[in-house]
């Protein structure tokens, strides 16, 4: 089934002729894991907000599991299906105790009390924050707060999870844990994931990478293919994953190595090349 | 100014059930002229430590000197110190408040440089904004709320460097920036480092950033310094870093995998050096085979 569909969508915040999203047509299938890349200001967050009806298109149409986001009667269902985790850890918590904060979403959508406890357990385990169940969110550091925010979204059990640079503030282990959670939710529960990120290695974990530039989708392919088209990528001011950049350097110096995107692949290619001699 | 912390301790909400022992005996010396990196898992005390360096958090245990300023002394000139040790907080753009960019940047000057005339102040603001790569005339009258996120970050940094602090501390300055934004920020820091800004201290979760930019680094864990050294020294201890919940730069990860397969790449873990060393191995091997 189609989870999200954009039909020639344009969106402008103020001026009529300046589009933050400028003619996007895009289809995301249920269960897909899509990474969204692009410079700051390229329209990624606007795209995300158009999905869960925080914004409605100026022209064109967005549907989420067939529901039109411009139909106010569908807004509640759409927000329940598409959970969003934002960038700034400091304005995403609402309660003074972690477990209440995680319970806030499910309570709002009328989940029964007995079930809420289970959901809190699941969500806090998933982000590795069970030990902080009784803690005060405002006393946590940024990374810990962000994991609570993600737990809050998980507790709603959405069908689509949109992460808008949500790993930007996490430490390496926090990022690994969140990415692991996201991958597991995607693989095991078929959760559709839209991951907006500046970390190229995170994009490599997705099935598909969409590159935005000035409000338009300019690349849409597998992450490996996107990162193979390095000149094009650079024209959108994006960089290669570090392994790919090193690989390119080796190739440019004449060393016969195949394309590599991760540390493992790069090590493999270097090894093969050295053994061939 | 040399920074010397000895057995620094700090507890949030002491004597309460919420007591949090953020620093539990930090010993660390940062020499003048360094581009120093601080890494460590979330909650390891990095922010608490750096906020001690310009007395945003007052010393409660241990000793700390920054140049001639002894922060354990009540008569320490804290305001003067803050003019010399600039602090860029995490996500500093959320702290912009004035109605124009110019006023926001000038705010720091009013506190620390009361001696300046109106013209001198404007000149300083212009220089700070130009240093961070913004067009002074174009941006001075704008509201901080109508400029882009990347520009806001630069304005916030301009508001700190406008006093030309000798020591510049940045708490996760590149967090949330896009790859090019990160690169430009690091270039900016290197540009000012070595001029009026003698010492740069950055807190970062990006191991590659530390490897590429820092002269030395310290790894924080549980409110203490668990490791200290050059990036090459630190990232050679990958097992320990993983155990601390951290990561290694991609080059170190790759070097580790190669070592398991009998290939030893002696690198300082910057991308350029790693590529050069791999190429050297390849060339040496090629020549070896030809000679046979
Ligand atoms: N609330 C807003 N009001 C006016 N313009 C905005 C607003 N939010 C974003 N924009 C503008 O829309 C464009 C796209 O922004 P955004 O979707 O936030 O990009 P990204 O998430 O890729 O950084 C930018 O030019 C930005 O300045
Ligand atoms: N304002 C505060 N009130 C109470 N506890 C705090 C506060 N700030 C930080 N802490 C606690 O102090 C410890 C160290 O935090 P911090 O210095 O922010 O670490 P880091 O910057 O390495 O993430 C953490 O356990 C954190 O929860
Ligand atoms: Mg955004
Ligand atoms: Mg911190």
């Amino acid at each position: 089934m189609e989870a999200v569909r954009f039909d020639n969508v344009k969106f402008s915040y103020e001026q009529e002729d300046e589009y933050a999203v400028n003619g996007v047509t895009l289809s995301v299938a249920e269960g897909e894991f899509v990474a969204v890349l692009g410079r700051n200001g390229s329209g990624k967050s606007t795209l995300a907000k158009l999905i869960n009806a925080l914004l409605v298109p100026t022209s064109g149409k967005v549907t989420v599991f067939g529901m039109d986001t411009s139909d106010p009667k569908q807004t509640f269902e759409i927000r329940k299906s598409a959970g969003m985790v934002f960038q700034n850890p400091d304005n995403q918590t609402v309660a003074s105790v972690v477990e209440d904060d995680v319970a806030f979403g499910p309570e709002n959508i009328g989940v029964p009390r007995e079930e809420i406890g289970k959901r809190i357990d699941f969500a806090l385990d998933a982000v590795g924050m069970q030990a902080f169940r009784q803690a005060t969110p405002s006393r946590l550091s940024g990374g810990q707060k962000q994991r609570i925010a993600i737990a809050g979204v998980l507790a709603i059990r959405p069908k689509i999870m949109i992460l808008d640079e949500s790993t930007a503030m996490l430490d390496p282990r926090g990022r690994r844990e969140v990415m692991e959670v996201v991958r597991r939710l995607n693989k095991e529960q078929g959760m559709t994931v839209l991951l907006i990120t500046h970390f190229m290695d995170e994009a490599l974990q997705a099935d598909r990478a969409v590159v935005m530039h000035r409000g338009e989708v300019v690349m849409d392919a597998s992450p490996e293919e996107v990162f193979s088209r390095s000149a094009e990528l650079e024209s959108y001011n994006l960089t290669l994953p570090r392994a790919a950049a090193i690989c390119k350097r080796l190739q440019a110096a004449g060393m016969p190595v195949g394309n590599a995107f991760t540390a493992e692949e790069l090590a493999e290619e270097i090894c093969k090349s050295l053994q061939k001699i | 100014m040399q920074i010397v912390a000895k057995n620094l301790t700090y507890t949030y909400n002491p004597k309460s059930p919420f007591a949090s022992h953020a620093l539990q005996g930090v010993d660390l010396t940062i020499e003048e002229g360094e581009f120093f990196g601080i890494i460590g898992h979330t909650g390891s005390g990095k922010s608490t430590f750096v906020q001690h360096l310009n007395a945003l958090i007052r010393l409660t245990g241990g000793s700390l000197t920054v140049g001639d300023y002894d922060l354990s002394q009540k008569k320490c000139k804290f305001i003067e110190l803050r003019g010399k040790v600039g602090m860029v907080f995490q996500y500093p753009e959320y702290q912009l408040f004035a109605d124009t960019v110019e006023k926001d940047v000038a705010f720091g000057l009013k506190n620390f440089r009361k001696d300046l005339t109106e013209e001198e102040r404007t000149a300083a603001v212009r220089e700070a904004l130009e240093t961070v790569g913004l067009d002074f005339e174009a941006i001075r009258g704008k509201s901080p709320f109508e400029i882009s996120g990347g520009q806001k970050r630069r304005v916030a940094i301009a508001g700190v460097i406008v006093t030309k602090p000798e020591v510049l501390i940045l708490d996760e300055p590149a967090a949330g920036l896009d790859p090019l934004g990160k690169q430009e920020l690091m270039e900016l820091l290197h540009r000012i480092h070595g001029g009026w800004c003698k010492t740069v201290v950055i807190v970062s979760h990006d191991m590659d950033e530390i490897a590429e930019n820092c002269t030395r680094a310290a790894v924080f864990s549980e409110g203490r310094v668990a490791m200290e050294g050059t990036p090459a020294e630190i990232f050679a201890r990958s097992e320990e870093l993983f155990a601390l919940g951290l990561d290694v730069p991609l080059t170190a990860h790759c070097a580790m995998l190669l070592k398991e397969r009998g290939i030893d790449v002696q690198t300082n873990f910057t991308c350029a050096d790693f590529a050069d060393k791999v190429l050297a191995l390849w060339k040496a091997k090629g020549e070896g085979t030809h000679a046979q």
Side-chain angles (χ1 to χ4, degrees), chain A residues 203-229:
Chain A
L204 282 168
Q205 302 185 15
D207 305 320
R208 179 175 163 197
V210 166
V211 175
M212 293 203 63
H213 182 66
R214 299 198 175 134
E216 293 177 43
V217 170
V218 289
M219 295 175 92
D220 183 352
S222 72
E224 289 75 15
E225 189 187 331
V226 164
F227 293 131
S228 305
R229 287 149 62 183

Short mmCIF file of all heavy atoms in Angstrom, two decimals, chain A residues 203-229:
data_model
loop_
_atom_site.label_atom_id
_atom_site.label_comp_id
_atom_site.label_asym_id
_atom_site.label_seq_id
_atom_site.Cartn_x
_atom_site.Cartn_y
_atom_site.Cartn_z
N ALA A 203 22.10 7.65 6.22
CA ALA A 203 21.36 7.50 4.97
C ALA A 203 21.65 6.15 4.32
O ALA A 203 20.79 5.57 3.66
CB ALA A 203 21.71 8.64 4.01
N LEU A 204 22.87 5.64 4.53
CA LEU A 204 23.24 4.36 3.94
C LEU A 204 22.40 3.21 4.47
O LEU A 204 22.32 2.15 3.87
CB LEU A 204 24.72 4.06 4.21
CG LEU A 204 25.71 4.80 3.33
CD1 LEU A 204 27.12 4.65 3.87
CD2 LEU A 204 25.63 4.29 1.89
N GLN A 205 21.78 3.41 5.64
CA GLN A 205 20.98 2.34 6.22
C GLN A 205 19.58 2.30 5.64
O GLN A 205 18.82 1.38 5.90
CB GLN A 205 20.93 2.51 7.74
CG GLN A 205 22.35 2.51 8.31
CD GLN A 205 22.35 2.54 9.82
OE1 GLN A 205 21.34 2.30 10.47
NE2 GLN A 205 23.51 2.83 10.38
N ALA A 206 19.22 3.32 4.88
CA ALA A 206 17.88 3.38 4.29
C ALA A 206 17.81 2.58 3.00
O ALA A 206 18.83 2.20 2.43
CB ALA A 206 17.50 4.83 4.04
N ASP A 207 16.57 2.30 2.55
CA ASP A 207 16.39 1.62 1.27
C ASP A 207 16.55 2.60 0.12
O ASP A 207 16.85 2.22 -1.01
CB ASP A 207 14.95 1.06 1.15
CG ASP A 207 14.58 0.17 2.31
OD1 ASP A 207 15.45 -0.61 2.73
OD2 ASP A 207 13.42 0.25 2.78
N ARG A 208 16.31 3.85 0.45
CA ARG A 208 16.18 4.84 -0.61
C ARG A 208 16.60 6.19 -0.09
O ARG A 208 16.36 6.50 1.09
CB ARG A 208 14.69 4.86 -0.98
CG ARG A 208 14.27 5.80 -2.04
CD ARG A 208 12.79 5.55 -2.30
NE ARG A 208 12.17 6.64 -2.99
CZ ARG A 208 10.86 6.84 -3.06
NH1 ARG A 208 10.03 6.00 -2.46
NH2 ARG A 208 10.38 7.85 -3.73
N ALA A 209 17.24 6.98 -0.91
CA ALA A 209 17.66 8.32 -0.49
C ALA A 209 17.08 9.35 -1.44
O ALA A 209 17.19 9.22 -2.66
CB ALA A 209 19.17 8.42 -0.47
N VAL A 210 16.44 10.35 -0.86
CA VAL A 210 15.84 11.43 -1.62
C VAL A 210 16.64 12.69 -1.31
O VAL A 210 16.85 13.02 -0.14
CB VAL A 210 14.36 11.61 -1.21
CG1 VAL A 210 13.81 12.93 -1.72
CG2 VAL A 210 13.52 10.43 -1.71
N VAL A 211 17.13 13.38 -2.33
CA VAL A 211 17.89 14.60 -2.11
C VAL A 211 17.03 15.80 -2.47
O VAL A 211 16.45 15.85 -3.56
CB VAL A 211 19.19 14.63 -2.95
CG1 VAL A 211 19.91 15.96 -2.80
CG2 VAL A 211 20.10 13.47 -2.55
N MET A 212 16.93 16.75 -1.56
CA MET A 212 16.18 17.97 -1.85
C MET A 212 17.12 19.13 -2.09
O MET A 212 18.19 19.23 -1.47
CB MET A 212 15.24 18.30 -0.69
CG MET A 212 14.14 17.27 -0.56
SD MET A 212 12.70 17.92 0.28
CE MET A 212 12.16 19.20 -0.83
N HIS A 213 16.73 20.00 -2.99
CA HIS A 213 17.51 21.19 -3.30
C HIS A 213 16.53 22.28 -3.71
O HIS A 213 15.74 22.09 -4.63
CB HIS A 213 18.49 20.87 -4.44
CG HIS A 213 19.38 22.01 -4.80
ND1 HIS A 213 20.33 22.51 -3.93
CD2 HIS A 213 19.48 22.76 -5.92
CE1 HIS A 213 20.97 23.51 -4.52
NE2 HIS A 213 20.47 23.67 -5.72
N ARG A 214 16.56 23.39 -2.99
CA ARG A 214 15.66 24.51 -3.28
C ARG A 214 14.21 24.07 -3.46
O ARG A 214 13.54 24.44 -4.42
CB ARG A 214 16.12 25.26 -4.51
CG ARG A 214 17.50 25.82 -4.31
CD ARG A 214 17.80 26.90 -5.29
NE ARG A 214 19.09 27.48 -4.98
CZ ARG A 214 20.04 27.74 -5.89
NH1 ARG A 214 19.82 27.49 -7.17
NH2 ARG A 214 21.18 28.26 -5.52
N GLY A 215 13.74 23.24 -2.55
CA GLY A 215 12.33 22.87 -2.55
C GLY A 215 11.95 21.76 -3.51
O GLY A 215 10.80 21.35 -3.57
N GLU A 216 12.95 21.28 -4.27
CA GLU A 216 12.62 20.23 -5.23
C GLU A 216 13.34 18.93 -4.89
O GLU A 216 14.42 18.95 -4.30
CB GLU A 216 13.05 20.66 -6.64
CG GLU A 216 12.23 21.83 -7.17
CD GLU A 216 12.74 22.28 -8.53
OE1 GLU A 216 13.02 21.41 -9.38
OE2 GLU A 216 12.85 23.50 -8.72
N VAL A 217 12.74 17.82 -5.30
CA VAL A 217 13.43 16.54 -5.18
C VAL A 217 14.31 16.40 -6.41
O VAL A 217 13.81 16.35 -7.53
CB VAL A 217 12.42 15.37 -5.10
CG1 VAL A 217 13.15 14.04 -5.23
CG2 VAL A 217 11.66 15.43 -3.79
N VAL A 218 15.64 16.40 -6.20
CA VAL A 218 16.54 16.38 -7.34
C VAL A 218 17.23 15.03 -7.55
O VAL A 218 17.76 14.76 -8.62
CB VAL A 218 17.61 17.50 -7.23
CG1 VAL A 218 16.97 18.87 -7.46
CG2 VAL A 218 18.30 17.45 -5.87
N MET A 219 17.23 14.20 -6.52
CA MET A 219 17.75 12.84 -6.68
C MET A 219 16.84 11.92 -5.89
O MET A 219 16.37 12.28 -4.82
CB MET A 219 19.19 12.72 -6.16
CG MET A 219 20.21 13.53 -6.92
SD MET A 219 21.86 13.47 -6.16
CE MET A 219 22.60 12.10 -7.02
N ASP A 220 16.61 10.73 -6.42
CA ASP A 220 15.74 9.78 -5.74
C ASP A 220 16.17 8.40 -6.21
O ASP A 220 15.80 7.95 -7.30
CB ASP A 220 14.28 10.07 -6.11
CG ASP A 220 13.30 9.15 -5.37
OD1 ASP A 220 13.75 8.21 -4.70
OD2 ASP A 220 12.08 9.40 -5.48
N ALA A 221 16.99 7.72 -5.41
CA ALA A 221 17.55 6.43 -5.82
C ALA A 221 18.05 5.70 -4.58
O ALA A 221 17.87 6.18 -3.46
CB ALA A 221 18.70 6.65 -6.79
N SER A 222 18.68 4.56 -4.76
CA SER A 222 19.25 3.87 -3.61
C SER A 222 20.39 4.74 -3.07
O SER A 222 21.01 5.48 -3.83
CB SER A 222 19.80 2.50 -4.03
OG SER A 222 20.97 2.69 -4.80
N PRO A 223 20.67 4.65 -1.77
CA PRO A 223 21.76 5.47 -1.21
C PRO A 223 23.07 5.24 -1.97
O PRO A 223 23.80 6.18 -2.26
CB PRO A 223 21.87 4.99 0.23
CG PRO A 223 20.55 4.41 0.56
CD PRO A 223 19.98 3.87 -0.71
N GLU A 224 23.34 3.97 -2.32
CA GLU A 224 24.59 3.67 -3.03
C GLU A 224 24.64 4.40 -4.36
O GLU A 224 25.68 4.93 -4.75
CB GLU A 224 24.75 2.16 -3.26
CG GLU A 224 25.05 1.36 -2.01
CD GLU A 224 23.84 1.18 -1.10
OE1 GLU A 224 22.69 1.42 -1.57
OE2 GLU A 224 24.03 0.81 0.08
N GLU A 225 23.51 4.43 -5.06
CA GLU A 225 23.52 5.12 -6.35
C GLU A 225 23.69 6.62 -6.14
O GLU A 225 24.49 7.26 -6.83
CB GLU A 225 22.25 4.83 -7.15
CG GLU A 225 22.43 5.37 -8.55
CD GLU A 225 21.19 5.31 -9.42
OE1 GLU A 225 20.35 4.40 -9.22
OE2 GLU A 225 21.08 6.18 -10.30
N VAL A 226 22.96 7.17 -5.18
CA VAL A 226 23.08 8.61 -4.91
C VAL A 226 24.53 8.98 -4.61
O VAL A 226 25.07 9.94 -5.14
CB VAL A 226 22.14 9.03 -3.76
CG1 VAL A 226 22.52 10.40 -3.22
CG2 VAL A 226 20.69 9.02 -4.24
N PHE A 227 25.19 8.15 -3.78
CA PHE A 227 26.57 8.47 -3.40
C PHE A 227 27.58 8.12 -4.50
O PHE A 227 28.76 8.45 -4.39
CB PHE A 227 26.94 7.80 -2.08
CG PHE A 227 26.17 8.35 -0.91
CD1 PHE A 227 25.53 7.51 -0.01
CD2 PHE A 227 26.06 9.72 -0.73
CE1 PHE A 227 24.81 8.02 1.07
CE2 PHE A 227 25.33 10.24 0.34
CZ PHE A 227 24.71 9.39 1.24
N SER A 228 27.14 7.42 -5.52
CA SER A 228 28.05 7.16 -6.65
C SER A 228 28.07 8.35 -7.59
O SER A 228 29.02 8.55 -8.33
CB SER A 228 27.60 5.94 -7.45
OG SER A 228 27.48 4.84 -6.59
N ARG A 229 26.98 9.13 -7.54
CA ARG A 229 26.91 10.30 -8.44
C ARG A 229 27.48 11.50 -7.69
O ARG A 229 26.79 12.47 -7.40
CB ARG A 229 25.45 10.52 -8.85
CG ARG A 229 24.98 9.45 -9.85
CD ARG A 229 23.52 9.11 -9.77
NE ARG A 229 22.63 10.23 -10.04
CZ ARG A 229 21.28 10.14 -9.96
NH1 ARG A 229 20.71 8.99 -9.62
NH2 ARG A 229 20.53 11.18 -10.21
#
